[in-house]
């Protein structure tokens, strides 16, 4: 009887320490403002405080990985990108262990590996055997929910085929994954941005121009921080396309 009561008390204690829905809603609202200086700082502070109380709460852990991935994606230097990519990967792996049947940990682990690989160089990453680890996590994410986070798993797979060195690079497959993502989430400007880069590299500058125009003219309402980032990045790609079309 004592053992049963102890088990029940332990269960209640653990349950009571789980992140409250109100906290998660607040974190998600701050995530929408992550591109703003104050929004990003507030999100980091809230996450840090919450994780100090419940460091093994899956809902908090994967959100921490999400924030780290955002920072790695926009890192100003390769050195910083490497550090943030590795942190994203490590935190996301913890999320995978906490909830192996949820998509979040698998996707952000792949995204972290991808950022780290970009920072150290694709050839070095291949030499370190990261390709298999990346695809293991990414394929699991696609299987669990290919439409997660604006079809981010499909976008990552398309980018994988884009960034591989020749002869492993496959621009046709890259474009196909972006088209799949667009079918699921036509509002996602990153899909058109990536598609434009792939088409340009594939000597299809006119088609690339059409894709980049969708980025310029598209609404950022679906995710203002993400949308504004992509529209800013698109300026260089547009210039490269116009140079190619001269």
């Amino acid at each position: 009887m004592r053992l049963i009561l102890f088990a029940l008390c332990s269960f209640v204690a653990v349950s009571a320490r789980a992140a409250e829905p109100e906290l998660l809603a607040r974190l998600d609202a701050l995530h929408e403002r992550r591109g703003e200086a104050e929004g990003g700082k507030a999100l980091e502070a809230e996450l840090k405080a919450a994780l100090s109380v419940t460091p093994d709460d899956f809902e908090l852990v994967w959100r921490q990985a999400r924030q780290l991935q955002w920072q790695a994606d926009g890192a100003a230097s390769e050195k910083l990108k490497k550090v943030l990519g590795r942190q994203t990967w490590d935190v996301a792996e913890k999320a995978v262990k906490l909830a192996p049947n949820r998509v979040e940990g698998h996707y952000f682990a792949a995204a972290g590996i991808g950022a780290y690989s970009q920072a150290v160089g694709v050839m070095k990453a291949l030499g370190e055997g990261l390709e298999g680890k990346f695809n293991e996590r990414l394929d699991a994410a696609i299987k669990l929910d290919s439409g997660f986070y604006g079809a981010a798993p499909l976008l990552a797979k398309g980018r994988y085929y884009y960034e591989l060195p020749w002869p492993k690079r496959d621009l046709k497959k890259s474009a196909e994954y972006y088209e799949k993502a667009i079918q699921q989430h036509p509002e996602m400007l990153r899909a058109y941005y990536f598609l434009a880069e792939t088409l340009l590299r594939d000597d299809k500058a006119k088609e690339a121009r059409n894709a980049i125009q969708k980025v310029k003219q598209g609404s950022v309402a679906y995710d203002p921080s993400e949308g504004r980032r992509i529209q800013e990045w698109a300026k260089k790609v547009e210039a490269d396309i116009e140079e190619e079309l001269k």
Side-chain angles (χ1 to χ4, degrees), residues 122-144:
V122 176
M123 293 303 295
K124 184 176 180 181
L126 291 173
E128 292 180 7
L130 297 185
E131 183 180 13
K133 294 177 181 179
F134 173 82
N135 279 312
E136 179 185 1
R137 287 296 179 232
L138 187 56
D139 290 345
I142 291 173
K143 185 177 180 179
L144 286 165

Side-chain angles (χ1 to χ4, degrees), residues 195-226:
L195 179 60
E197 287 199 316
T198 289
L199 291 170
L200 181 60
R201 180 174 283 184
D202 202 21
D203 298 321
K204 297 177 179 178
K206 289 184 178 180
E207 292 91 332
R209 175 192 270 172
N210 292 335
I212 212 68
Q213 288 302 312
K214 291 183 182 296
V215 178
K216 286 183 63 180
Q217 298 167 9
S219 169
V220 303
Y222 70 99
D223 187 340
S225 295
E226 161 74 3

Side-chain angles (χ1 to χ4, degrees), residues 146 169 172 243:
S146 65
R169 181 184 300 136
K172 181 180 179 182
E243 182 66 27

Side-chain angles (χ1 to χ4, degrees), residues 60-76:
L60 294 177
V61 172
W62 83 256
R63 283 172 170 80
Q64 181 187 28
R66 178 178 64 178
Q67 175 62 3
L68 287 166
Q69 189 273 331
W70 165 260
Q71 294 171 335
D73 182 57

Side-chain angles (χ1 to χ4, degrees), residues 134-135 138-139 142 152-162 177:
F134 173 82
N135 279 312
L138 187 56
D139 290 345
I142 291 173
L154 297 177
L155 296 182
K157 197 70 169 183
R159 199 63 174 177
Y160 161 75
Y161 283 113
Y162 170 85
Y177 274 100

Side-chain angles (χ1 to χ4, degrees), residues 12-234:
V12 170
V14 171
S15 300
R17 290 168 53 199
E20 295 292 334
E22 293 80 5
L23 169 61
L24 299 179
R26 190 161 64 249
L27 290 173
D28 289 340
L30 286 171
H31 178 71
E32 293 295 313
R33 298 175 48 223
R34 67 197 181 282
E36 307 167 16
E38 291 304 315
K41 288 179 182 178
L43 176 56
E44 285 190 61
E46 287 263 14
L47 276 168
K48 183 177 180 180
L51 285 163
S52 69
V53 178
T54 53
D56 295 326
D57 187 300
F58 170 77
E59 297 294 346
L60 294 177
V61 172
W62 83 256
R63 283 172 170 80
Q64 181 187 28
R66 178 178 64 178
Q67 175 62 3
L68 287 166
Q69 189 273 331
W70 165 260
Q71 294 171 335
D73 182 57
S77 69
E78 297 305 310
K79 182 177 180 181
L80 180 59
K81 192 181 193 75
K82 178 182 176 181
V83 171
L84 289 169
R86 181 74 236 196
Q87 290 177 350
T88 303
W89 180 6
D90 289 342
V91 172
E93 285 295 342
K94 180 177 180 178
V96 171
K97 291 178 181 178
L98 289 169
N101 294 322
R102 289 277 297 269
V103 65
E104 295 91 340
H106 293 280
Y107 168 69
F108 286 111
I113 295 170
Y116 176 88
S117 299
Q118 288 176 327
V120 302
V122 176
M123 293 303 295
K124 184 176 180 181
L126 291 173
E128 292 180 7
L130 297 185
E131 183 180 13
K133 294 177 181 179
F134 173 82
N135 279 312
E136 179 185 1
R137 287 296 179 232
L138 187 56
D139 290 345
I142 291 173
K143 185 177 180 179
L144 286 165
D145 183 0
S146 65
F148 170 68
Y149 205 40
L154 297 177
L155 296 182
K157 197 70 169 183
R159 199 63 174 177
Y160 161 75
Y161 283 113
Y162 170 85
E163 296 198 3
L164 282 173
W166 187 88
K168 299 184 75 172
R169 181 184 300 136
D170 193 327
L171 298 177
K172 181 180 179 182
K173 280 188 177 180
S174 176
E176 287 173 353
Y177 274 100
Y178 300 145
E179 294 291 357
K180 289 179 181 178
I182 289 168
Q183 287 177 11
Q184 292 191 28
H185 288 277
E187 76 284 358
M188 193 68 175
L189 298 188
R190 189 178 291 253
Y192 299 104
Y193 169 75
F194 281 167
L195 179 60
E197 287 199 316
T198 289
L199 291 170
L200 181 60
R201 180 174 283 184
D202 202 21
D203 298 321
K204 297 177 179 178
K206 289 184 178 180
E207 292 91 332
R209 175 192 270 172
N210 292 335
I212 212 68
Q213 288 302 312
K214 291 183 182 296
V215 178
K216 286 183 63 180
Q217 298 167 9
S219 169
V220 303
Y222 70 99
D223 187 340
S225 295
E226 161 74 3
R228 286 193 291 265
R229 170 177 282 183
I230 296 303
Q231 286 184 335
E232 183 62 32
W233 288 356

